Amino acid sequence: MSSLSPNARRWAFLEIIIIVALALVPLFVTFPYRVNIFLSWEGAYRLSSGQVPYKDFGTPLGYGFWIIPALFFKLFGPQMVTLVKAQVFINIIAGLSFRSILRSLGVTPGIRLLSVLVFVMSYSFFNFWPWYNHTVIVYELVGISFLLRSFFSEKRVFRYVYMALAALFLFLSIFTKQDGGGMALMLCLALLVYNSLETRRWSDIAAFIGFFGLIAAVFILPLMPGFAYWFNHGQAPHNSRLAVNDFTEEIMGNSNWIKVYVLLAVFCLAAGVKQWGTWIHQRRDVLFALLTIGILGEAAIFQVTSYTPPDNNIFFHSFAFAFIASWLCQLLSIPLNTGRSVLLATALVLFWWSGTWWKYVGRYADRLFPDKEVVYAPNDTHHENVVSRRNYMIEADSSDVPVSKWIFSKLPVFHHIYMPPQTVEGIDRVLALPVVQQKKDHIKVLNMTELTPLAVAMPFKLETGPDYPLWYHLGVAMFNRQLATFTEKVQQRHYDVVLYEYAPSLNNFFPFALRDELKKHYTMVDSFLAPRRPTNAMIEVYVSEAATRSYTDTLLQKADTLK
């Protein structure tokens, strides 16, 4: 499995083209406002503005996720679309890291090309926006790629350089998300122990742990003591959000792809390994098997610990495919070393993952073959009622605004991003409020909505402090003590304007209790749709008593002018 074909360089060029070309696609399209992307924007904006995590704001995560978006904000400005540019870079790094892993494991060029294609189509291509449940895996892939490079490096200096880089990115993985990063570290330690057993280089384990501890200290010590509080959630009630039956239900009741891959991997090993005592010393093969099984196990757990969005764990497809395809091609003597054979296999892979790219091609297919069926009202006796797969359900939600009707905002920070017309018009009304116009940069705003870029559009100064949450999900990013602080500020009418997103179907995504206080101590002057899909949340605009008087006076003046 480790031999290289004469056309290896050509395959390598094609692999890089696939990774880079498909990653660049988002730069040429426009986007609807992404649900929850406000979190990516605000963390990157605060970091790029010079704020220090755990001193100027608190978060229950490490800040590894926001490093790359913050750098891109520095380079290209804090527009929403800059996040897309950052994700393009992240997708390229992810693809190159996966390719490096396969090269270190000696996967043949033809299978490696197909595996890279599976990786891009199944995991990278549709990830247009940075999100921590994706970035944590990307850092893991970079860490694993450097760790494997260290295993097979002949020069001791290079081996330790690669090991230090592996420790850095595995720490950043943990510093992005504890669950995925923690499993990444355990997987790499298992690989390291096996490699040390085979090579008798026991100092590698000590070196890696030393590098990891040193890097962790460099990142964490400057953030104390705030880091200890936020990273560990630090205050009562401190309860686990997981239960044993969460894992058993998801893994045993679902996870069909993972279980099929495990079954096929076991069959491949059972059929291909003739002498287990000999095979166990074939480092590349054993590392490949350990890594594949480890990735499948990590994916099974990750889907429970990081359950939103529901496809966080699909990084496992490409590893399983590479492993199983390598063994099957060897066992069945399938030659994947010619252009014709790889082209046929590529067509099959594209057919397998057609769901990823067909939604783009399908738009043109719908125009070529438009649906002519019509649903008639029950009292229409002159036509036959036509029922088909596309219309057998009657949409009852008349309040939803389909994405096809969303529009662009004229504000630079929302460039290339479209939203419901009601959202765009509501933003314009907020910016036109007399209190916003009069106070300009000195206005005090509490923005508990997904429209975090309003900090630039209005603009207003973000609040800071070690006890100030980066976002407002009660029980996740803020807790009872922070809620009490906000409640007190609302009762004292500390803010000129409060923007509150009321999302009744989400459990305290923005604290419900604070809305009750706002209704007591502020006046709601406007409300409009939040930029969500489906459009099932409202943004409510509250102003203080003084601002209300100013608002009323302005309306009266306009009325007098009209008279």
Side-chain angles (χ1 to χ4, degrees):
M1 288 193 295
S2 60
S3 61
L4 294 175
S5 73
N7 297 320
R9 289 185 179 179
R10 183 174 62 181
W11 298 131
F13 175 76
L14 291 174
E15 291 159 15
I16 294 172
I17 288 295
I18 290 171
I19 292 168
V20 175
L22 291 180
L24 293 176
V25 169
L27 297 180
F28 305 99
V29 296
T30 56
F31 304 91
Y33 201 94
R34 172 68 182 267
V35 171
N36 297 339
I37 202 61
F38 71 94
L39 173 58
S40 302
W41 187 93
E42 175 127 350
Y45 180 66
R46 286 180 179 268
L47 279 182
S48 65
S49 301
Q51 294 188 22
V52 180
Y54 315 105
K55 294 185 183 295
D56 293 315
F57 63 91
T59 167
L61 306 170
Y63 64 83
F65 163 57
W66 290 282
I67 292 176
I68 295 175
L71 290 174
F72 272 71
F73 273 19
K74 279 289 190 182
L75 292 173
F76 302 105
Q79 290 79 23
M80 288 291 295
V81 74
T82 301
L83 294 175
V84 177
K85 298 175 183 177
Q87 186 60 33
V88 168
F89 176 76
I90 291 171
N91 284 343
I92 292 174
I93 295 300
L96 294 177
S97 298
F98 177 72
R99 176 180 177 271
S100 174
I101 291 170
L102 298 188
R103 288 191 64 191
S104 294
L105 294 172
V107 177
T108 56
I111 296 174
R112 194 172 68 226
L113 175 71
L114 294 173
S115 302
V116 166
L117 181 61
V118 171
F119 178 85
V120 172
M121 298 303 296
S122 67
Y123 192 59
S124 291
F125 181 60
F126 54 86
N127 272 304
F128 292 168
W129 297 95
W131 191 242
Y132 50 73
N133 285 332
H134 180 266
T135 303
V136 62
I137 303 302
V138 175
Y139 282 140
E140 175 185 2
L141 296 177
V142 179
I144 292 173
S145 68
F146 280 124
L147 187 65
L148 291 177
R149 290 285 293 273
S150 75
F151 289 170
F152 300 105
S153 178
E154 297 297 331
K155 295 185 178 181
R156 186 170 183 173
V157 173
F158 287 159
R159 185 165 77 244
Y160 286 131
V161 168
Y162 290 140
M163 199 167 290
L165 290 171
L168 170 63
F169 284 98
L170 288 168
F171 172 79
L172 288 176
S173 183
I174 293 178
F175 212 53
T176 294
K177 195 84 180 343
Q178 299 97 306
D179 55 352
M183 288 186 285
L185 178 61
M186 288 188 287
L187 174 58
C188 286
L189 286 174
L191 298 177
L192 184 60
V193 167
Y194 167 77
N195 190 70
S196 297
L197 274 171
E198 287 300 308
T199 61
R200 302 301 176 185
R201 297 197 301 251
W202 299 107
S203 60
D204 286 0
I205 298 176
F208 177 81
I209 294 174
F211 285 135
F212 190 89
L214 179 62
I215 290 166
V218 169
F219 272 88
I220 294 173
L221 290 179
L223 305 176
M224 297 298 286
F227 174 81
Y229 165 73
W230 279 101
F231 200 73
N232 295 300
H233 289 192
Q235 61 174 299
H238 180 58
N239 300 314
S240 173
R241 289 180 285 162
L242 300 170
V244 173
N245 59 341
D246 291 335
F247 293 96
T248 55
E249 181 179 348
E250 186 62 39
I251 295 173
M252 303 306 293
N254 298 299
S255 308
N256 292 330
W257 272 113
I258 294 176
K259 288 182 286 192
V260 166
Y261 285 144
V262 170
L263 189 65
L264 290 175
V266 171
F267 282 167
C268 286
L269 289 173
V273 178
K274 304 304 181 183
Q275 296 290 332
W276 286 92
T278 302
W279 179 80
I280 200 68
H281 298 296
Q282 297 178 14
R283 270 202 301 158
R284 280 190 166 87
D285 286 356
V286 176
L287 285 170
F288 200 1
L290 289 175
L291 178 61
T292 302
I293 297 300
I295 288 291
L296 290 171
E298 178 182 343
I301 296 172
F302 195 62
Q303 67 185 334
V304 180
T305 59
S306 297
Y307 46 83
T308 179
D311 55 359
N312 283 325
N313 70 330
I314 54 175
F315 52 87
F316 65 86
H317 286 288
S318 47
F319 284 92
F321 174 83
F323 182 81
I324 294 168
S326 296
W327 278 95
L328 286 180
C329 286
Q330 180 182 1
L331 291 168
L332 303 177
S333 300
I334 300 175
L336 277 179
N337 53 6
T338 65
R340 182 176 299 178
S341 61
V342 172
L343 188 62
L344 175 60
T346 298
L348 292 174
V349 168
L350 290 174
F351 177 68
W352 177 24
W353 287 101
S354 60
T356 300
W357 52 266
W358 180 253
K359 55 187 173 184
Y360 304 103
V361 178
R363 298 173 184 174
Y364 300 98
D366 288 341
R367 295 175 186 175
L368 291 174
F369 308 102
D371 181 27
K372 297 181 180 180
E373 297 176 349
V374 179
V375 176
Y376 292 93
N379 58 358
D380 186 345
T381 58
H382 301 288
H383 301 86
E384 183 72 23
N385 187 58
V386 179
V387 179
S388 71
R389 182 177 179 272
R390 297 194 178 202
N391 59 31
Y392 76 99
M393 291 287 292
I394 298 176
E395 295 294 338
D397 187 3
S398 59
S399 65
D400 187 43
V401 180
V403 175
S404 60
K405 295 183 179 180
W406 289 19
I407 63 175
F408 294 100
S409 169
K410 62 184 179 182
L411 298 172
V413 74
F414 294 117
H415 182 60
H416 277 313
I417 309 297
Y418 47 97
M419 297 176 281
Q422 297 88 335
T423 306
V424 175
E425 294 163 4
I427 292 172
D428 292 340
R429 292 196 300 271
V430 168
L431 299 184
L433 285 173
V435 64
V436 175
Q437 294 295 316
Q438 293 165 6
K439 291 203 170 186
K440 297 294 183 181
D441 296 344
H442 303 292
I443 191 171
K444 294 179 181 179
V445 177
L446 173 59
N447 183 10
M448 279 193 173
T449 76
E450 295 179 76
L451 295 173
T452 49
L454 289 179
V456 171
M458 291 181 72
F460 63 88
K461 186 178 180 180
L462 293 172
E463 288 187 272
T464 60
D467 213 31
Y468 193 92
L470 180 60
W471 76 104
Y472 307 101
H473 196 171
L474 190 62
V476 176
M478 63 175 282
F479 308 95
N480 293 337
R481 192 166 81 187
Q482 287 74 42
L483 177 59
T485 300
F486 283 119
T487 300
E488 183 179 355
K489 287 184 176 181
V490 167
Q491 291 171 347
Q492 295 174 353
R493 297 173 178 83
H494 172 79
Y495 302 103
D496 299 306
V497 177
V498 178
L499 304 175
Y500 177 88
E501 185 167 329
Y502 180 52
S505 62
L506 300 177
N507 185 7
N508 276 295
F509 199 70
F510 300 98
F512 296 139
L514 199 66
R515 183 173 183 253
D516 297 334
E517 294 297 325
L518 285 168
K519 290 186 174 296
K520 294 177 184 177
H521 303 283
Y522 280 73
T523 301
M524 189 174 77
V525 297
D526 198 0
S527 66
F528 53 89
L529 286 177
R532 297 184 67 85
R533 288 182 291 171
T535 47
N536 56 4
M538 298 294 294
I539 292 176
E540 299 172 341
V541 183
Y542 294 88
V543 297
S544 63
E545 184 178 347
T548 303
R549 286 198 299 268
S550 176
Y551 181 71
T552 304
D553 292 342
T554 302
L555 291 178
L556 292 173
Q557 290 174 5
K558 288 183 178 180
D560 291 339
T561 302
L562 291 174
K563 289 180 180 179

